[in-house]
Amino acid sequence: MDIVFHPRFMDHRQYAGHPERAERLSVVLGSLARSELDPPMHEPKPVDEDLLLKVHHKDHLRDLENTGEGYYDPDTYMTGDTLAIARLAAGAGSLAVDVATENSAAFALVRPPGHHAGTMFGGGFCYLNNVAVAAERALESSKRVAIIDLDVHHGNGTADIFRSREDVLYISTHQYGIFPGTGHIKEVGTGVGEGYTINVPLPAGTGDKTFMYGMDRLILPILEKYDPSFVLVSIGVDAHYADQLANMGLTSEGYMALVQRLHDFARGGSRGIAYFLEGGYDLGALSEVVGNIIAIDEERSVPMRLNEGYDNGVGRRIVDQAVGIHSIMWDI
Ligand SMILES: [Zn+2]
């Protein structure tokens, strides 16, 4: 799989001790090198301004510029470099779609992440929405795009940008009750977008079995019906049991099983697929999961060791409830 990466992503700094740090990318690059994987690399340019304005209101961009250096929110810091690097990460969103169109798959290995940035707001370590830029880029040549958000946090920014759209399907699995507090099971989109937002807010302790049940019972059946020409995956590795920011039980193998299903869905239907790094703060889990996604079509892989996860089973009820809410419209 081709990688979209810029060395400037390593220069992005939050305040000292922040979990969203440059090592998140260097461990992935290190594990690829150790496994003798040498994927083609593409360097993005800053995002095209017209494309960016399809995703964010100009007031949000002005707000970021005016913040200069300081706290954007209590968890999200800006230095004089932040906005320039965020523009490169958003540019990586667009380039990943171009690369995936040509080669069928791409991974945008980016910092800062993007899925908490909405039309008029940033926050939660995010400034510009990389995957939303990618969706708009994909829509230049596709009728329908699906975004699957596997980060443990609800992608409130992505949901905000596409809530009233039927040409972008947004599906999110996330831990309920943690940041940002949105993504209720009954939030299904508005106007013509009603039914094109699917939230699966899972309780703490949900693991491999329940996530796979949700994939097979809800996510894949809806994807089959929606029939997108492009699949974009917001991949956060913070639903991993080793991650300290949340309380889910996914293993590295569980993550890969979920990703393999999405990958097979895309490839089976000759659809493009592109992955976008969002969160994930345990360096071991990140390098294993992201490394193996990048290696998914290769004969070599990255060794996986973090497989002692757990599943308390309580999330199954939520999957069934989501199926109940969406079954009529999607005939699943
Ligand atoms: Zn997250």
Side-chain angles (χ1 to χ4, degrees):
M1 186 180 297
D2 290 24
I3 298 182
V4 178
F5 173 78
H6 199 292
R8 287 285 281 154
F9 296 157
M10 310 295 286
D11 299 335
H12 172 50
R13 294 273 177 274
Q14 291 282 356
Y15 51 84
H18 197 288
E20 206 291 278
R21 57 210 193 276
E23 288 79 4
R24 298 178 60 240
L25 301 187
S26 48
V27 292
V28 172
L29 295 172
S31 72
L32 293 174
R34 272 195 308 282
S35 304
E36 297 182 1
L37 286 152
D38 189 18
M41 292 259 195
H42 306 263
E43 231 176 64
K45 293 190 168 57
V47 64
D48 177 81
E49 197 69 13
D50 291 338
L51 191 58
L52 189 62
L53 285 169
K54 286 186 178 175
V55 167
H56 296 291
H57 194 280
K58 60 178 177 3
D59 290 352
H60 172 54
L61 304 180
R62 195 178 316 140
D63 195 28
L64 289 172
E65 274 157 23
N66 290 344
T67 302
E69 176 139 11
Y71 285 89
Y72 183 82
D73 76 16
D75 295 324
T76 312
Y77 195 77
M78 292 190 76
T79 69
D81 280 341
T82 301
L83 193 51
I85 300 174
R87 283 178 184 276
L88 285 172
S94 168
L95 183 57
V97 165
D98 297 348
V99 168
T101 302
E102 209 162 295
N103 303 336
S104 78
F107 197 106
L109 188 60
V110 297
R111 296 178 62 242
H115 74 150
H116 295 306
T119 307
M120 287 288 281
F121 59 88
F125 322 163
C126 301
Y127 312 88
L128 304 174
N129 195 314
N130 313 318
V131 76
V133 167
E136 288 292 357
R137 177 68 175 164
L139 284 169
E140 290 173 12
S141 54
S142 307
K143 279 205 176 74
R144 287 180 303 280
V145 172
I147 301 175
I148 322 301
D149 191 329
L150 297 178
D151 192 280
V152 79
H153 303 100
H154 179 237
N156 58 321
T158 313
D160 173 63
I161 291 163
F162 298 118
R163 74 171 75 255
S164 59
R165 298 266 294 267
E166 56 187 333
D167 52 353
V168 180
L169 174 71
Y170 179 69
I171 305 178
S172 174
T173 56
H174 46 272
Q175 183 179 333
Y176 203 60
I178 61 171
F179 180 87
T182 49
H184 192 277
I185 199 164
K186 289 182 178 163
E187 289 172 24
V188 297
T190 56
V192 293
E194 193 175 332
Y196 296 92
T197 294
I198 288 134
N199 284 308
V200 191
L202 295 161
T206 300
D208 290 0
K209 267 192 189 155
T210 307
F211 268 93
M212 195 50 100
Y213 176 63
M215 180 60 73
D216 288 339
R217 181 70 187 90
L218 179 74
I219 298 175
L220 284 173
I222 290 177
L223 282 175
E224 295 281 357
K225 292 274 159 68
Y226 187 65
D227 190 22
S229 26
F230 229 101
V231 178
L232 307 175
V233 184
S234 266
I235 185 83
V237 188
D238 39 12
H240 199 288
Y241 74 89
D243 198 280
Q244 297 296 307
L245 261 65
N247 317 92
M248 297 302 233
L250 270 178
T251 65
S252 296
E253 281 175 0
Y255 257 107
M256 287 313 299
L258 294 168
V259 167
Q260 189 71 54
R261 287 282 214 279
L262 295 172
H263 205 71
D264 290 346
F265 167 76
R267 304 297 287 273
S270 307
R271 310 165 213 270
I273 183 162
Y275 299 86
F276 301 82
L277 184 63
E278 301 287 359
Y281 306 96
D282 181 79
L283 299 181
L286 259 176
S287 65
E288 288 189 8
V289 173
V290 174
N292 278 296
I293 295 173
I294 291 167
I296 201 163
D297 294 321
E298 309 293 327
E299 277 170 27
R300 293 176 198 273
S301 61
V302 172
M304 279 199 284
R305 298 187 180 86
L306 297 169
N307 287 312
E308 306 295 318
Y310 56 94
D311 192 334
N312 63 19
V314 294
R316 227 180 138 85
R317 193 177 55 81
I318 301 297
V319 173
D320 289 334
Q321 207 181 324
V323 169
I325 289 169
H326 294 283
S327 60
I328 296 171
M329 162 151 168
W330 291 102
D331 190 25
I332 54 168

